[in-house]
């Protein structure tokens, strides 16, 4: 599953699934541009990545919901590497949980801005760069969530944003697939990341009862699926939504 020499751009790279993905891609030989709103965290990510080429991994500070930030990140990548990334992973995401009756407009909008608009801006900007750079094969992996399929109490904003990401993937897979760029979604279940720490123990207990494997997943297990989708091993997978949930 070698990704030797391929340039990858990963958002949300400062922690959780994003950081694990950076490590997984770098382990397979990719050069990683690690992007996150928290530059200190993303620098820490880059510091632990294995290096297998003369090109060095690059940390970038970016707010994915800000078009100027996204365009600056692309331009910096092009200036340093003289080519667009051929692997894009949209792992940036936030939660602002509350019951609908108490959910503020601001919290609703923030989640959609980062999770949906951010995915759209990165996807559009970097896919266009691939097309302009005449990339023959590209892979874009968006991170959705299995709760977007059945809903979850207190997460109307999060579920809506992730459901929209899944449909954004399906549309973009049709539009960019003809240009050799595959777009797929990974739908994680309950994964041991910083995000899950805000979930009440009672709620986590109920989810655990519904998981046949009897445990929550690890970020590395999501990263392994992402790495597969980034590689030639998945060359005929396009527009797919792959659940990684332990059977939830």
């Amino acid at each position: 599953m070698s990704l030797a020499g391929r340039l990858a751009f990963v958002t949300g790279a400062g922690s959780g699934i994003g950081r694990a993905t950076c490590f997984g891609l770098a382990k397979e030989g990719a050069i990683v541009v690690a992007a996150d709103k928290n530059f200190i965290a993303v620098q820490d990510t880059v510091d632990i990545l294995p290096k297998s080429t003369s090109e060095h991994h690059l940390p970038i500070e970016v707010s994915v919901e800000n078009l100027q930030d996204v365009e600056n990140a692309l331009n910096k990548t092009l200036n340093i590497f003289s080519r667009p990334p051929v692997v894009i992973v949209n792992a940036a995401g936030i939660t602002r949980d509350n019951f609908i009756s108490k959910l503020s407009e601001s919290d609703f909008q923030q989640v959609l801005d980062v999770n949906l608009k951010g995915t759209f801006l990165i996807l559009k900007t970097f896919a266009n760069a691939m097309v302009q750079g005449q990339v023959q094969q590209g892979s874009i992996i968006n991170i959705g969530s299995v709760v977007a399929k059945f809903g979850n109490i207190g997460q109307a904003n999060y579920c809506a944003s992730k459901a929209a990401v899944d449909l954004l993937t399906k549309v973009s897979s049709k539009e960019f697939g003809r240009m050799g760029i595959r777009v797929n979604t990974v739908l994680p279940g309950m994964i041991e990341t910083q995000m899950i720490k805000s979930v009440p123990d009672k709620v986590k207990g109920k989810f655990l009862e519904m998981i046949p494997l009897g445990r929550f997943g690890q970020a590395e297990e999501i990263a392994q699926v992402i790495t597969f989708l980034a590689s030639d091993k998945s060359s005929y997978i396009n527009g797919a939504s792959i659940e990684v949930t332990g059977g939830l």
Side-chain angles (χ1 to χ4, degrees):
M1 203 158 56
S2 174
L3 296 171
R6 297 189 191 183
L7 186 60
F9 187 94
V10 181
T11 70
S15 62
I17 291 172
R19 174 174 285 182
T21 296
C22 290
F23 191 87
L25 295 173
K27 186 178 178 182
E28 293 298 327
I31 302 102
V32 176
V33 179
D36 198 282
K37 194 170 186 176
N38 185 333
F39 184 76
I40 294 175
V42 85
Q43 180 66 67
D44 290 342
T45 295
V46 167
D47 289 343
I48 66 171
L49 297 184
K51 299 174 178 61
S52 56
T53 74
S54 58
E55 293 183 292
H56 296 291
H57 306 300
L58 176 69
I60 286 183
E61 182 177 350
V62 61
S63 294
V64 295
E65 70 274 25
N66 183 295
L67 178 59
Q68 190 62 59
D69 262 22
V70 172
E71 291 177 340
N72 289 343
L74 171 62
N75 290 333
K76 184 173 183 178
T77 301
L78 292 174
N79 288 338
I80 291 177
F81 296 101
S82 301
R83 65 189 191 277
V86 295
V87 175
I88 307 297
V89 181
N90 279 302
I94 63 171
T95 58
R96 296 288 186 271
D97 295 349
N98 214 331
F99 295 113
I100 293 174
S101 60
K102 300 178 181 178
L103 184 62
S104 69
E105 179 182 358
S106 175
D107 283 348
F108 184 87
Q109 191 62 53
Q110 283 182 39
V111 170
L112 264 67
D113 282 348
V114 175
N115 296 2
L116 177 57
K117 180 185 175 183
T119 296
F120 163 72
L121 291 178
I122 293 288
L123 188 156
K124 174 186 175 181
T125 302
F126 282 82
N128 282 344
M130 285 190 212
V131 173
Q132 292 167 10
Q134 298 183 321
V135 168
Q136 298 300 309
Q137 295 183 56
S139 180
I140 299 174
I141 302 104
N142 299 323
I143 306 303
S145 173
V146 73
V147 299
K149 297 186 70 174
F150 52 76
N152 192 33
I153 291 174
Q155 291 194 309
N157 47 2
Y158 184 77
C159 292
S161 70
K162 292 300 188 179
V165 163
D166 200 22
L167 285 176
L168 174 64
T169 294
K170 294 188 186 306
V171 173
S172 54
S173 71
K174 299 177 188 297
E175 294 185 3
F176 290 109
R178 68 189 69 183
M179 303 169 194
I181 301 169
R182 298 181 294 110
V183 190
N184 294 289
T185 310
V186 174
L187 307 179
M190 296 294 284
I191 308 300
E192 293 280 7
T193 65
Q194 190 66 33
M195 189 177 288
I196 203 177
K197 291 182 179 180
S198 63
V199 177
D201 290 340
K202 185 177 180 180
V203 175
K204 287 192 286 189
K206 288 182 177 180
F207 270 103
L208 194 58
E209 292 174 359
M210 295 188 291
I211 300 173
L213 291 187
R215 64 175 178 85
F216 294 153
Q218 300 298 315
E220 291 75 15
E221 293 175 302
I222 306 300
Q224 289 168 5
V225 178
I226 293 170
T227 301
F228 166 70
L229 289 172
S231 76
D232 294 340
K233 297 288 186 181
S234 61
S235 58
Y236 202 56
I237 300 178
N238 185 41
S241 302
I242 301 177
E243 295 184 19
V244 190
T245 68
L248 175 66

